């Protein structure tokens, strides 16, 4: 493909929707199915003379032509898909050409990218969902107050994450998640596209390079293709980080946490800091079970107090444990940073906290081409207790678009 250094990003996806109507009627206990209506596809009638779209918005131009077509701007081929999906970060006018190889037809148009009408921000604009797992910082960040509902807690998470002035929230152990969105589509351009902030750091005393307090979170992304303002189930894709294709990574890992009896007699450990080693029971779909330990450093409930019921569960991708006892006596645990593709996995100023939308894969592990993303989900990707440090829990303290100027 001939590539030019221009300020636009184009990706395309072939979207064919097949629909049928099946009607049924019963008469004398016999079921008769009506024939499926034939698919009606509008023929391509050519391009409009011009198209207008705001910057950081996706322009879609469908053709219903299945193959052998080429979209280009000047002499740069930008797509060979049936539906063109165009997004630009710059106010400009782009000459557009469509060539249909099967007929030899050529169509010309132009795309006018305008400045957005309102105010736009590169930071998180909304938090749509928050459901943390159990953990030692639970009910502290954000703080639970008696009588708080899930709606109240969500409002506190929004206060922590929306905009440029942010603070930490904890996701707890494996599976705990937060879902947030932006007021524009973050474009999928060459290189890395957005940054997720956390509280990871590299330890001065760590012997392994790029090690310290790194608690990797799995990242999911969604492009709002149907423009309904929310991430639908079929719009989510996982960012395939450095561990995704390794045999140490477990797909469809499920864990259930059981609500503890806060008034039971604690089963203290022999290390001084572990005041209840049978605090919160858990079990997974791999045949494992155990307890989350309560430590002397955090005495509040580790179970989200606004979540009803005797238990709750999560399912997702589980990464290999990354923490180990460097000291050998439990006094110094370190977590090694994975190479790329995870949240809270490296310091905020590090390149590893930047994410490339092109790493997105579908449920079968196949890379997908998205024009950009509107929503992000982060969940803790490790189920591990790191000694006196407690459970490995991803923290999030914001996110922003790397292309926004």
């Amino acid at each position: 493909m001939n590539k030019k250094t221009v300020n636009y990003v184009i990706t395309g996806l072939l979207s064919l929707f097949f629909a049928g109507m099946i009607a049924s009627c019963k008469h004398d206990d016999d079921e008769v199915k009506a024939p499926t209506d034939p698919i009606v596809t509008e023929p391509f009638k050519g391009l409009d003379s011009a198209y207008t779209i705001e910057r950081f918005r996706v322009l879609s131009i469908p053709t219903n032509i299945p193959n052998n077509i080429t979209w280009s701007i000047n002499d740069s081929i930008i797509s060979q898909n049936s539906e063109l999906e165009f997004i630009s970060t710059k106010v400009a006018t782009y000459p557009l050409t469509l060539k249909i190889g099967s007929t030899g037809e050529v169509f010309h148009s132009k795309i006018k990218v305008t400045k957005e009408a309102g105010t736009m921000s590169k930071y998180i604009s909304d938090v749509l969902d928050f459901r943390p797992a159990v953990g030692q910082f639970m009910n502290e960040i954000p703080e639970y107050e008696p009588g708080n509902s899930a709606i109240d807690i969500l409002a506190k998470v929004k206060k922590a994450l929306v905009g440029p002035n942010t603070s930490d929230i904890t996701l707890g152990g494996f599976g705990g998640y937060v879902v947030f969105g932006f007021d524009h589509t973050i474009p999928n351009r060459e290189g890395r596209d957005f940054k997720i902030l956390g509280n990871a750091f590299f330890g001065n005393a760590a012997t392994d390079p790029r090690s310290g307090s790194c608690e990797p979170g799995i990242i999911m992304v969604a492009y709002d293709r149907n423009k309904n303002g929310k991430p639908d189930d079929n719009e989510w894709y996982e960012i395939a980080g450095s561990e995704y294709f390794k045999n140490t990574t477990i797909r469809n890992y499920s864990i259930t946490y059981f609500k503890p009896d806060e008034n039971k007699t604690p089963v203290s450990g022999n290390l001084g800091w572990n005041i209840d080693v049978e605090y919160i029971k858990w079990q997974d779909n791999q045949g494992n079970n155990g307890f989350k330990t309560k430590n002397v450093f955090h005495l509040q409930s580790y179970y989200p107090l606004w979540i009803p019921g005797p238990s709750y569960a999560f399912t997702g991708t589980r990464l290999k444990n990354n923490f180990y006892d460097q000291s050998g006596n439990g006094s110094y645990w370190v977590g090694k940073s994975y190479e790329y593709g995870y949240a809270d996995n490296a310091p905020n100023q590090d390149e590893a906290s930047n994410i490339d939308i092109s790493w997105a894969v579908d449920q079968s592990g196949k890379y997908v081409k998205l024009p950009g993303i509107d929503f992000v989900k982060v969940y803790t990707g490790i189920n591990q207790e790191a000694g006196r440090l407690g459970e490995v829990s991803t923290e999030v303290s914001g996110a922003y678009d790397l292309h926004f100027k």
Side-chain angles (χ1 to χ4, degrees):
M1 182 180 292
N2 183 16
K3 295 184 178 179
K4 298 277 184 167
T5 53
V6 291
N7 281 330
Y8 56 80
V9 172
I10 308 293
T11 57
L13 288 174
L14 173 60
S15 301
L16 296 178
F17 296 88
F18 299 92
M21 295 179 61
I22 299 177
S24 61
C25 59
K26 277 194 172 183
H27 181 67
D28 294 333
D29 297 326
D30 291 325
E31 185 177 21
V32 179
K33 293 184 178 180
T36 302
D37 290 340
I39 297 172
V40 178
T41 302
E42 287 291 328
F44 179 63
K45 298 179 180 178
L47 299 177
D48 294 345
S49 60
Y51 299 88
T52 301
I53 192 73
E54 291 183 353
R55 69 185 189 124
F56 291 99
R57 307 291 182 194
V58 176
L59 171 68
S60 298
I61 306 177
T63 66
N64 296 321
I65 302 171
N67 50 44
N68 204 13
I69 68 173
T70 301
W71 300 90
S72 59
I73 289 179
N74 295 320
D75 59 349
S76 296
I77 296 175
I78 57 176
S79 177
Q80 293 180 302
N81 295 314
S82 174
E83 181 176 356
L84 177 68
E85 293 181 308
F86 175 98
I87 183 170
S88 173
T89 64
K90 180 183 177 182
V91 173
T93 298
Y94 301 98
L96 179 65
T97 300
L98 169 62
K99 295 181 180 180
I100 303 175
S102 59
T103 63
E105 294 177 286
V106 178
F107 300 90
H108 297 282
S109 181
K110 57 186 174 181
I111 301 174
K112 298 179 180 179
V113 180
T114 63
K115 184 78 165 59
E116 62 275 10
T119 302
M120 193 180 290
S121 170
K122 70 178 182 180
Y123 301 100
I124 294 172
S125 65
D126 195 15
V127 179
L128 291 78
D129 197 6
F130 176 63
R131 190 172 178 82
V134 303
Q136 63 182 322
F137 295 105
M138 200 50 51
N139 304 305
E140 289 187 340
I141 49 174
E143 181 183 3
Y144 171 85
E145 297 174 286
N148 277 171
S149 66
I151 294 175
D152 297 324
I153 296 297
L154 183 62
K156 295 182 180 184
V157 175
K158 289 182 181 182
K159 185 176 180 180
L161 295 186
V162 171
N165 302 313
T166 59
S167 57
D168 290 341
I169 63 161
T170 186
L171 303 183
F174 177 86
Y177 68 82
V178 63
V179 179
F180 52 83
F182 299 85
D183 61 13
H184 65 280
T185 301
I186 298 178
N188 182 7
R189 304 185 68 183
E190 192 74 23
R192 305 193 183 194
D193 305 297
F194 66 99
K195 178 185 285 288
I196 297 181
L197 304 173
N199 62 0
F201 60 87
F202 296 147
N204 294 330
T207 55
D208 276 345
R210 301 182 64 81
S211 296
S213 179
C214 304
E215 302 174 284
I218 304 294
I219 300 168
M220 307 284 290
V221 294
Y223 164 54
D224 188 15
R225 186 171 301 283
N226 60 12
K227 302 296 187 291
N228 66 352
K230 62 181 181 180
D232 297 302
D233 289 343
N234 64 350
E235 292 176 338
W236 283 116
Y237 299 95
E238 182 173 336
I239 293 294
S242 57
E243 311 308 294
Y244 183 86
F245 295 103
K246 295 182 179 179
N247 58 16
T248 53
T249 297
I250 303 173
R251 245 77 61 237
N252 297 313
Y253 178 81
S254 294
I255 190 170
T256 300
Y257 300 103
F258 297 89
K259 191 169 187 176
D261 177 3
E262 302 287 354
N263 297 314
K264 79 175 183 66
T265 302
V267 180
S268 58
N270 56 7
L271 299 176
W273 56 265
N274 48 356
I275 60 176
D276 191 354
V277 296
E278 295 185 6
Y279 177 42
I280 295 179
K281 183 181 178 182
W282 64 269
Q283 65 182 32
D284 66 19
N285 62 348
Q286 308 292 304
N288 305 307
N289 61 78
F291 290 92
K292 297 297 181 180
T293 298
K294 191 167 197 175
N295 61 52
V296 71
F297 312 110
H298 299 275
L299 301 179
Q300 86 291 348
S301 175
Y302 293 8
Y303 195 94
L305 293 174
W306 64 92
I307 294 180
S311 66
Y312 69 129
F314 299 97
T315 299
T317 297
R318 178 184 170 180
L319 304 173
K320 178 183 177 181
N321 294 348
N322 71 321
F323 271 77
Y324 65 97
D325 179 13
Q326 179 180 298
S327 65
N329 59 20
S331 63
Y332 190 62
W333 284 73
V334 295
K336 189 168 179 61
S337 175
Y338 288 128
E339 187 178 352
Y340 65 88
Y342 303 101
D344 200 25
N345 175 59
N348 292 335
Q349 67 273 18
D350 195 273
E351 175 74 5
S353 64
N354 297 343
I355 307 301
D356 191 337
I357 295 171
S358 296
W359 297 335
V361 296
D362 62 18
Q363 290 184 351
S364 65
K366 181 181 179 181
Y367 286 102
V368 296
K369 294 181 180 180
L370 300 174
I373 61 162
D374 300 282
F375 308 102
V376 175
K377 176 180 180 179
V378 178
Y379 65 88
T380 300
I382 288 180
N383 179 29
Q384 182 184 11
E385 297 286 306
R388 61 191 296 120
L389 297 183
E391 83 292 335
V392 177
S393 57
T394 300
E395 273 75 54
V396 176
S397 59
Y400 60 87
D401 180 350
L402 290 171
H403 303 308
F404 189 93
K405 305 295 183 184

